[in-house]
Amino acid sequence: MDPETEFLSSKRQTGNEWELFKENVRPLKRGRNVDLLNHALKAHTNDQLKKSLLENRRRLIEAIDEYQGDDPLQPWLDCIKWVQEAFPPGGDFSGLVLIYEQCVRAFWHSDRYKDDLRYLKVWLEYAEHCSDAEVIYSFLDANDIGNTHSAYYIAYALHMESKSKMKAANDILNLGISSNAQPIEKLRDAYKKFLARSMRRPNATEEELKEDDLPVRSFGTVLARGESQRQAIKTFELGRNKLKQDQVHRTPLSIYNDTNMDVMRGHHSKPSTGSNSWHTLGGRAERNKENNAMPAKWTSHKIPQRPVPRIVGAVASSQIEVFVDEECEEKPKVHDEKDRTSSLQLRELDGRNIKKETELLRENPLRNFPSNSLPR
Amino acid sequence: MASRTVAKDIITLRGSAAIVSEFFGYAANSILYNRGVYPEESFAKVKKYGLPMLLTQDEENEIVGKEWLEAGKLQRVVMVIMSKATKEVLERWNFSIETDSDVVEKGVSREKSDREIMREIQAIMRQIASSITYLPCLDEPCVFDVLAYTDTDVPVPFTWIESDPKLIANPQMVKLHSFDTKIHKVDTLVSYKNDEWDEQ
């Protein structure tokens, strides 16, 4: 009997927490396991289950440190997948951004994983959580990571499209096609869709989109960024400007912000005046000033550990204990380690620190990377 | 404890078959829309089951004819979503049907409130739309197929061909709500491919 027939005739039921709490669940591209999802949703109100969640996390973090096999990326992926399942809303308190960051940083200079699709996917997910992912895509480009995969070009081009950089998006997709990235059909198809969208663009105003009163079709709007950012394209470029510049102060327009995706915060720190001139060097140096000024190790940035009560924050419960402080050595898998990339240290952070770290990383995703790894 | 008298309606075999057949049409359209199989522009909004539902304009919206249902010979309807490029099966929407054979054989009718049936169907439609919560993103062009599982002694109209079941290996499965007209009971299950992060 096939598994579906078997399930149907067994009269087993699936829990309905997923539907009851669906607003608290961030969809994942890869889909979710509904039993794990229901379990995680229940855990936020049930102490017994919460304990088992914490146990699991401890186990997975230990597994990363203790791994002896020949695919050190795997335990990281297990841990990432688990965090995604256990914290359905995602969000700044889940520590997801931190773990993406540590994972990509652990292997960025590894030849072994340059073309590994799984590794690329971690980067791409990290990029989706950042205010301005362009620096990530440039980094991948400069370090030859993932450039045999269509997913890289598609994500990069979508990002450029969201910034209305249509020529750049066009060039990126073409580059992918001429490099024969795989799977090539997917890339060609993405290019066709991109062309169709760019032809519609001059007419797509926000008013036009608002009149579309079909029931909201969430397919594609959370996960396929090109479509969802049609609405925000006009407002994206005029975000708040962090630099002390006396340029024309643009009033920040209200940017549609899906609470689960903070990528559209519009922290544009380039000193351009809105034309597309690239004051590249100045902008980058300014943006990466934390790295240039202090190329110190991650370990030296100790956030003062204050014994504050745990913050409730975005997650329903405040009692979830977070990363356990464990001193651990970086695996000797790293060969040419001229620059000490920071040892992997999952420190004890309370809810507020995870949130703070996450916010810092969102703004500057490569802040912990050694300065010589950054694209010029 | 207070009791409530719910007005019941008479359900005949034909009436039930009509309800079920109509349900399949709307469910198929909802799946096509929510999963992005057809572009948004091909759909128009209509009111049905107390919800805004969508129907494709240019297609025949009767997915499964009523004859099989009236004869009590239809066991299951499966809507399959496949990758257009590779024909790999990505999702299966599985509707199994139990028919009250007494009704088929003896022509009796049953009683149930129409509104209650509609509420049950509404719950399923809501779940279909909410399933994006856990379903993997379909980011490639897909095609849609309908499979009907019937009793073997049933004449098959020429519009249908024999097929293999197009199963998913090691599927993730989620059971959704059911509805029951007291003559036909329809259970819903959606199955989908396991997560593919680990694929190289």
Side-chain angles (χ1 to χ4, degrees), chain A residues 322-334:
Chain A
V322 289
F323 285 89
V324 173
D325 189 0
E326 280 158 337
E327 292 292 319
C328 39
E329 279 295 76
E330 191 169 47
K331 284 287 164 203
K333 58 189 178 298
V334 174

Side-chain angles (χ1 to χ4, degrees), chain A residues 2-8 11-16 18-19 21-22 25-35 37 71 74 77-78 80-81 84-85 100 115-119 121-122 125 149 185-186 189 193 200 212-224 230, chain B residues 32-41 43-45 52-54 76 78 85 92 94-96 98 123 126-141 149 167-168 170-177 185 187-189 191-200:
Chain A
D2 67 86
E4 294 174 31
T5 310
E6 197 265 320
F7 194 148
L8 280 167
K11 304 297 175 195
R12 259 183 3 248
Q13 297 295 321
T14 304
N16 65 344
W18 69 265
E19 190 185 9
F21 301 113
K22 62 181 185 283
V25 181
R26 183 177 72 96
L28 295 177
K29 265 199 174 63
R30 64 186 175 92
R32 286 180 180 274
N33 176 311
V34 172
D35 293 323
L37 174 62
D71 184 15
Q74 188 57 53
L77 296 178
D78 293 338
I80 287 173
K81 283 199 277 193
Q84 287 177 333
E85 312 268 13
Y100 284 145
D115 285 326
D116 191 313
L117 182 58
R118 305 167 302 162
Y119 180 56
K121 283 184 183 175
V122 182
E125 295 221 359
H149 297 290
E185 274 316 309
K186 200 162 170 176
D189 189 71
K193 290 208 184 112
R200 290 205 296 264
D212 177 14
D213 62 356
L214 287 178
V216 174
R217 179 163 91 164
S218 7
F219 167 77
T221 57
V222 173
L223 302 175
R230 246 189 298 156
Chain B
L32 289 169
Y33 178 73
N34 280 294
R35 302 308 290 138
V37 181
Y38 288 179
E40 281 191 42
E41 303 85 65
F43 294 89
K45 197 164 64 160
M53 299 292 300
L54 292 136
R76 201 192 293 190
V78 181
R92 290 176 103 244
N94 222 313
F95 301 92
S96 79
E98 265 175 52
R126 287 212 159 104
Q127 284 192 315
I128 292 177
S130 308
S131 293
I132 184 183
T133 307
Y134 54 84
L135 288 172
C137 177
L138 298 173
D139 59 356
E140 55 180 309
Y149 291 55
L167 294 170
I168 298 176
N170 293 322
Q172 295 265 9
M173 296 181 287
V174 179
K175 188 127 192 309
L176 304 181
H177 291 312
K185 179 168 190 284
D187 285 314
T188 311
L189 179 90
S191 68
Y192 52 102
K193 268 187 69 181
N194 242 309
D195 99 63
E196 47 170 51
W197 196 318
D198 299 45
E199 274 173 24
Q200 273 277 16

Side-chain angles (χ1 to χ4, degrees), chain A residues 162-224:
Chain A
S162 74
K163 291 167 133 175
S164 296
K165 293 182 176 167
M166 304 305 277
K167 170 121 191 9
N170 190 38
D171 291 343
I172 288 164
L173 290 168
N174 273 316
L175 176 60
I177 292 174
S178 58
S179 314
N180 200 27
Q182 293 303 313
I184 189 71
E185 274 316 309
K186 200 162 170 176
L187 188 50
R188 284 196 218 280
D189 189 71
Y191 188 46
K192 268 191 244 148
K193 290 208 184 112
F194 163 76
L195 290 175
R197 286 196 298 272
S198 47
M199 289 198 293
R200 290 205 296 264
R201 281 192 101 225
N203 303 322
T205 59
E206 277 188 49
E207 290 76 50
E208 212 181 300
L209 291 169
K210 282 202 185 88
E211 267 157 32
D212 177 14
D213 62 356
L214 287 178
V216 174
R217 179 163 91 164
S218 7
F219 167 77
T221 57
V222 173
L223 302 175

Side-chain angles (χ1 to χ4, degrees), chain A residues 72 114 117 132 140 142 146 193 195 201 209 246 294 320 330 338-339 351:
Chain A
K114 270 194 195 328
L117 182 58
D132 183 359
L140 294 176
K193 290 208 184 112
L195 290 175
R201 281 192 101 225
L209 291 169
D246 351 306
M294 287 192 289
I320 293 184
E330 191 169 47
K338 284 169 278 192
D339 257 9

